[in-house]
Amino acid sequence: MQFDRSTYRISDAGTGIRNWLLIAGVGLIASAAGAFVDPKQFFFSYLTAFAFWCTLALGGLIFVILHHLFGSTWSVVIRRMSETTMRTMPLFAVLVIPILIGIPWLYHWADPSYVAGDYALPKKAGYLNVPFFVIRTVFYFAVWVTLSILLYRASLKQDESYTRENAKYMRTLSAPAAILYAVTITLASFDWLMSLDAHWFSTIYGLWFFSGAVTAFFAYTTTNVVFLFRHNILKEDLTPEHFHDIGKLLFAFMIFWAYMALSQFLLIWYANFPKETVFYLARWSGSWRALTLSIPIIGFAVPFVILIMRITKRNLNLLAGMAWLLLGMHYVDLYWNIMPNLHTETVVVSWMDVATMLFIGALFRWYYLRLFTQHAVVPVNDPKLGASFSFVNQ
Amino acid sequence: MEATERTTYGILAQFDGPDKLIEAAAKMRDKGFKQWDVHSPYPIHGMDGAMGEERSRLGLMVAAMALLGGLGILYFTYWTSAVDYRFIISGKPYFSYIAYIPIFFAVCVLLSAFTAVFGMLGLVNSKFHHPVFYSDNFAKVTDDGFFVSVLAEDPSFDKVQTKTFLEEIGGTNVEYLEGDD
């Protein structure tokens, strides 16, 4: 990859990006084979992988929205990276189709005979039915894809020439976008993940999903900085001051995520209602218990102690180590939420978990890199770009 | 009334804007002054480095006190509900540590806040009066004045040489801080 620092463009993207398509192809073949061997396992694995990668795009979307709303300076250098992450949304609008096909295997509320014999589900059928579920999912993606395309297009327009109207447009769009985002991501988490067990409910579930998404996004951004440095891109421009701020947000959102997860658990534990405790009891049996314990310890306590130190946030290698750990734990967290609905007794790791992760992950990475290498790697005409380069933490 | 000998407590010099103040601070630092300070209407980015300030120990103090407070309250909740006055609440074990997490968190925050405020007051060597208030010109510090003050307690303070030095590095309105209290 060749980087031209005078225009902040990648002059030669190289051929390496295409290899991701190859990996995605292998993942696709393996996943397709899995869909024939054991469709139920396939759809659960696919849902986990889909949720993992889609949350990165969702995290990117809210970060761009917040960046415009707050008019922050330091984050201008990572704005294009975030926008590219956000702009992968159309990919997920396509990748969600297998989940819609898999509704009969994934969601027990889609089975009329099961619902008819149940005490609660007939009353929920007005919301939890297949046509409405499909309409909602289409609506979420209509909102997310539209927002990401509009914001990305306006940003590219700024690369050609800066106008106040355009900058104001991005900010004005971001305000209603934030509200739409909050509603859609909450309902999406209810639909896709919480309704896997349609009896159980938790009103904080949307915030848990959102906070995990943003944590994963900052972790992904950190690994992207490492990637850029390996290719000598922005090496003179991104400084420990920027790592420090990415690290602070990673740290903060990790705490926010833990806070949400604990809030959900604490109230259910305290009230001790069987209809609510089933969620945690199911995750306390067999080897699920070890996974349950690993989430607060490896996903929160260990990175908390390490990330609270200033030196971790200012050292890219240490920060990247934490980022990879938190990305891994984000997957474990989603897996822990989804899979006990399939493997109720004990953890069963399937090769389809790997295959679907490879497929969606490689496709996502290919899409991201292709988009990223086509345009300037920073918003070159943003008036705050210079201040962002020379930004210093106090 | 008989005129008394006025004591010189220090020297005050005015500078022309934040950039000049940063330059002056760097020169003061390099000259090796210890008992000196800069005064400006607003915080200036980069001033800590120019003054040669070391990283504050406050963060470590806050972390230590937060941990101490957290462990303390954990022990206290354990002692009250599992040792001193055992009471079964909604069928849960005596020592239900999950219920104490909010208390643990709250006490960590409380002790952090106290340590941050009072530790800061202790570390900054706060005082009720400062010789710069003898200067009438110093009132500008709340408007558009940028100042460097050197106290007479400084080991390398010399009434004539320090004044000359402050003028050399671009200080204007250089004046002695004198009072007869």
Side-chain angles (χ1 to χ4, degrees):
Chain A
M1 227 176 257
Q2 289 296 317
F3 177 61
D4 180 4
R5 195 160 174 256
S6 56
T7 55
Y8 287 106
R9 279 172 174 277
I10 289 161
S11 47
D12 177 22
T15 52
I17 298 171
R18 234 174 291 151
N19 295 343
W20 286 107
L21 268 187
L22 219 69
I23 300 172
V26 173
L28 176 65
I29 293 165
S31 303
F36 285 103
V37 175
D38 184 354
K40 207 169 162 79
Q41 172 67 54
F42 163 76
F43 282 119
F44 272 89
S45 299
Y46 188 87
L47 180 65
T48 316
F50 174 83
F52 179 82
W53 295 103
C54 188
T55 44
L56 295 185
L58 281 168
L61 178 57
I62 195 63
F63 183 70
V64 174
I65 289 172
L66 290 176
H67 171 88
H68 289 311
L69 283 178
F70 285 96
S72 57
T73 302
W74 74 270
S75 54
V76 174
V77 270
I78 62 161
R79 197 180 103 192
R80 186 52 48 80
M81 261 192 265
S82 319
E83 283 167 344
T84 313
T85 315
M86 158 190 90
R87 184 59 176 72
T88 58
M89 202 56 90
L91 182 71
F92 293 103
V94 177
L95 287 174
V96 80
I97 292 170
I99 292 174
L100 299 180
I101 296 169
I103 289 175
W105 285 276
L106 286 168
Y107 303 103
H108 58 177
W109 50 259
D111 177 5
S113 61
Y114 179 83
V115 172
D118 193 83
Y119 65 98
L121 291 188
K123 296 185 184 110
K124 295 187 179 186
Y127 184 84
L128 286 179
N129 58 70
V130 177
F132 194 30
F133 182 91
V134 175
I135 291 170
R136 284 196 307 265
T137 299
V138 170
F139 172 70
Y140 306 147
F141 275 104
V143 170
W144 298 338
V145 169
T146 311
L147 287 177
S148 51
I149 287 180
L150 288 179
L151 285 168
Y152 193 74
R153 194 188 287 160
S155 178
L156 287 188
K157 216 169 114 193
Q158 195 181 55
D159 277 5
E160 284 157 27
S161 66
Y162 176 81
T163 57
R164 279 178 64 107
E165 290 73 35
N166 190 28
K168 199 172 172 223
Y169 165 76
M170 288 194 275
R171 178 168 291 194
T172 318
L173 180 64
S174 292
I179 299 168
L180 272 173
Y181 179 91
V183 175
T184 48
I185 193 172
T186 307
L187 291 179
S189 75
F190 287 3
D191 285 355
W192 298 344
L193 306 185
M194 201 166 86
S195 83
L196 285 168
D197 179 359
H199 295 113
W200 183 77
F201 52 88
S202 162
T203 46
I204 209 169
Y205 207 73
L207 277 170
W208 159 80
F209 187 67
F210 162 73
S211 52
V214 183
T215 311
F217 164 73
F218 286 119
Y220 178 68
T221 305
T222 310
T223 60
N224 262 329
V225 174
V226 177
F227 170 81
L228 292 184
F229 276 27
R230 203 186 303 140
H231 291 280
N232 286 318
I233 299 167
L234 292 176
K235 206 160 184 177
E236 294 92 349
D237 304 306
L238 279 165
T239 63
E241 306 295 338
H242 299 108
F243 314 153
H244 196 176
D245 270 10
I246 298 172
K248 278 187 260 182
L249 281 165
L250 179 68
F251 180 58
F253 270 91
M254 181 201 70
I255 296 172
F256 180 48
W257 162 81
Y259 189 44
M260 292 302 107
L262 176 75
S263 299
Q264 177 179 292
F265 169 68
L266 192 67
L267 294 195
I268 290 174
W269 173 83
Y270 223 114
N272 217 2
F273 285 137
K275 63 177 176 181
E276 289 174 352
T277 49
V278 282
F279 181 85
Y280 290 103
L281 278 175
R283 286 155 181 80
W284 202 241
S285 73
S287 48
W288 283 114
R289 184 181 291 208
L291 206 64
T292 306
L293 288 171
S294 79
I295 292 171
I297 296 169
I298 307 173
F300 172 70
V302 171
F304 179 89
V305 173
I306 298 174
L307 271 173
I308 200 171
M309 289 182 287
R310 186 183 161 101
I311 184 141
T312 319
K313 285 170 279 200
R314 296 181 74 88
N315 179 320
L316 189 57
N317 290 329
L318 279 172
L319 189 63
M322 284 296 105
W324 281 111
L325 179 77
L326 288 175
L327 274 177
M329 287 316 289
H330 180 56
Y331 181 79
V332 171
D333 189 31
L334 289 168
Y335 187 90
W336 179 83
N337 267 271
I338 293 168
M339 281 299 171
N341 292 296
L342 177 66
H343 302 295
T344 44
E345 298 301 319
T346 185
V347 185
V348 180
V349 180
S350 163
W351 57 271
M352 280 178 246
D353 297 334
V354 184
T356 48
M357 275 302 273
L358 267 185
F359 168 53
I360 303 182
L363 206 59
F364 167 81
R365 190 68 182 155
W366 166 76
Y367 196 93
Y368 174 89
L369 284 178
R370 210 178 65 100
L371 211 59
F372 188 69
T373 49
Q374 277 170 358
H375 305 283
V377 296
V378 288
V380 280
N381 280 334
D382 192 306
K384 283 182 294 197
L385 184 64
S388 183
F389 280 146
S390 56
F391 161 79
V392 173
N393 273 293
Q394 277 295 313
Chain B
M1 210 175 99
E2 211 177 318
T4 50
E5 179 73 18
R6 282 152 67 93
T7 327
T8 304
Y9 292 104
I11 304 180
L12 183 74
Q14 192 177 354
F15 288 86
D16 207 9
D19 297 338
K20 294 271 162 55
L21 193 65
I22 284 206
E23 281 171 30
K27 282 170 187 159
M28 291 291 290
R29 172 196 66 196
D30 295 341
K31 189 82 178 171
F33 283 104
K34 297 278 175 273
Q35 297 285 323
W36 63 291
D37 207 349
V38 293
H39 314 269
S40 61
Y42 50 82
I44 300 171
H45 276 205
M47 186 52 89
D48 286 6
M51 288 182 72
E53 295 276 358
E54 283 165 16
R55 281 245 320 139
S56 168
R57 283 170 293 142
L58 198 57
L60 275 177
M61 289 162 58
V62 169
M65 286 305 284
L67 196 67
L68 202 67
L71 291 177
I73 202 69
L74 211 58
Y75 177 74
F76 184 68
T77 43
Y78 159 77
W79 178 77
T80 46
S81 48
V83 177
D84 188 52
Y85 197 80
R86 294 179 140 212
F87 206 76
I88 294 174
I89 300 166
S90 61
K92 295 196 164 58
Y94 292 120
F95 181 59
S96 294
Y97 64 94
I98 296 161
Y100 310 145
I101 293 175
I103 308 165
F104 173 85
F105 173 69
V107 171
C108 283
V109 171
L110 184 77
L111 279 235
S112 302
F114 278 156
T115 316
V117 172
F118 296 112
M120 178 270 288
L121 290 178
L123 288 177
V124 296
N125 186 22
S126 53
K127 42 187 107 170
F128 294 104
H129 185 71
H130 194 278
V132 287
F133 296 123
Y134 290 126
S135 160
D136 294 330
N137 192 31
F138 188 69
K140 279 186 190 161
V141 78
T142 58
D143 177 19
D144 60 352
F146 298 85
F147 297 92
V148 168
S149 67
V150 193
L151 296 185
E153 296 121 58
D154 194 291
S156 48
F157 181 85
D158 180 276
K159 212 173 163 178
V160 182
Q161 280 177 12
T162 306
K163 188 173 187 229
T164 323
F165 177 72
L166 282 168
E167 279 162 351
E168 272 171 17
I169 62 175
T172 50
N173 298 330
V174 182
E175 58 179 307
Y176 290 119
L177 299 167
E178 293 179 324
D180 44 15
D181 52 355

